[in-house]
Amino acid sequence: MLLPVDGDFLEKEELKKLAGEKALEYIEDNMIIGIGTGSTVEYTIRKLGELVRDGLKIQGIPTSVHTQRLAKEENIPLTTLEEHPSIDVTIDGADEVDSNLNLIKGGGGALTREKIVAFNSKKLIIVVDDSKVVKCLGIDFPLPVEVVKFGWTATKKTLENFGCDVKLREIMPGEPFITDNGNYVLDCEFDRIDDPVQLEFDINNIPGVVENGLFIGLADKVIVGGKQGILTLDKEAVV
Ligand code: 5RP
């Protein structure tokens, strides 16, 4: 479905806002909502805050400490997976999306909580601008892998056996990025990922790996903000 929007050219932030807000059309009263992480979902969160102020009754489960803070700022009622183990709809961003709606996520380092929330959701809606849609995963974005600190250099070596360059994510030189779970992130740069299904499985089999950023078969819809308007890709349409 292609909806025309005004103007020939929309800046990237406008495309993200379009996609981020469009996803809220799938939200109804009394739903439990998984709330993703990232700059695109931030538009979803801001708009969701408006809808809640206008009377929408939902409870949200944030996928990161950052998202939790944003949701609190917007007075969005929050709950937990312990209280609500089944989530109705999760809205999240992605770093790459292929034509099978498989994803790379984890640019913001929230991949483990995001995957737990996605896995426990009846519906996962991904919101991206059109720069994230790729022919083959791994082309534009390194695959993030969350690893425990203990033995991380050994884990890094094992990951290099997959034929990728592996870098410890840092917030500044010499200062590693720490996830909300207290772990490191190793960014694995592949030329391309030809078999994401097998790779997801193989990486998660390495001792020391907590989770990797391949989201396979989890997304139900991908809402793409593009210069021509909004394109919604559906899992059912994938052959
Ligand atoms: C965080 C993520 C984000 O959803 C992903 O990085 C996309 O972020 P943005 O919308 O800022 O490009 O996976 O771990």
Side-chain angles (χ1 to χ4, degrees), residues 7 17 19 26 59 104 133 139 146 158 186 193 199 216 238:
K17 186 168 190 280
Y26 297 90
Q59 286 177 277
I104 286 183
V133 180
I139 287 180
E146 180 165 351
T158 310
L186 298 176
I193 297 172
L199 188 65
I216 307 299
V238 173

Side-chain angles (χ1 to χ4, degrees), residues 12 16 36-42 63 92-96 104-112 114 127-129 132 141 169 215:
K12 193 167 180 164
K16 284 158 56 169
T37 297
S39 56
T40 314
V41 167
E42 183 163 347
T63 53
D92 204 347
D95 301 298
E96 281 188 348
I104 286 183
K105 286 183 49 54
L111 61 149
T112 301
E114 289 173 333
V127 289
V128 290
D129 68 83
K132 306 286 186 70
F141 202 84
R169 190 179 295 184
F215 282 50

Side-chain angles (χ1 to χ4, degrees), residues 57-226:
K57 289 188 177 27
I58 55 98
Q59 286 177 277
I61 299 183
T63 53
S64 63
V65 171
H66 180 71
T67 290
Q68 183 173 13
R69 189 174 52 72
L70 293 178
K72 279 186 174 164
E73 268 174 34
E74 294 294 331
N75 291 316
I76 295 168
L78 296 179
T79 183
T80 62
L81 265 175
E82 285 63 46
E83 282 169 38
H84 292 97
S86 176
I87 297 169
D88 292 301
V89 178
T90 288
I91 302 172
D92 204 347
D95 301 298
E96 281 188 348
V97 179
D98 75 7
S99 54
N100 293 315
L101 305 199
N102 291 328
L103 320 167
I104 286 183
K105 286 183 49 54
L111 61 149
T112 301
R113 294 188 188 195
E114 289 173 333
K115 203 185 273 191
I116 294 169
V117 166
F119 186 80
N120 290 291
S121 297
K122 292 181 200 145
K123 188 177 278 206
L124 174 63
I125 301 176
I126 296 297
V127 289
V128 290
D129 68 83
D130 58 1
S131 69
K132 306 286 186 70
V133 180
V134 294
K135 286 207 174 72
C136 180
L137 294 179
I139 287 180
D140 288 337
F141 202 84
L143 175 64
V145 179
E146 180 165 351
V147 301
V148 296
K149 289 178 185 171
F150 181 85
W152 73 270
T153 50
T155 310
K156 177 175 181 283
K157 279 207 183 82
T158 310
L159 284 166
E160 281 161 353
N161 292 335
F162 289 100
C164 52
D165 284 335
V166 183
K167 287 193 184 70
L168 176 67
R169 190 179 295 184
E170 295 177 323
I171 48 173
M172 63 175 73
E175 197 173 325
F177 171 86
I178 307 291
T179 69
D180 289 345
N181 312 309
N183 298 313
Y184 287 159
V185 172
L186 298 176
D187 287 307
C188 302
E189 203 167 320
F190 289 86
D191 290 339
R192 52 187 288 141
I193 297 172
D194 285 317
D195 191 347
V197 177
Q198 190 63 44
L199 188 65
E200 186 200 19
F201 181 82
D202 289 343
I203 290 181
N204 279 2
N205 236 2
I206 301 170
V209 167
V210 177
E211 191 49 84
N212 73 77
L214 284 166
F215 282 50
I216 307 299
L218 289 173
D220 295 288
K221 284 184 193 296
V222 177
I223 299 177
V224 185

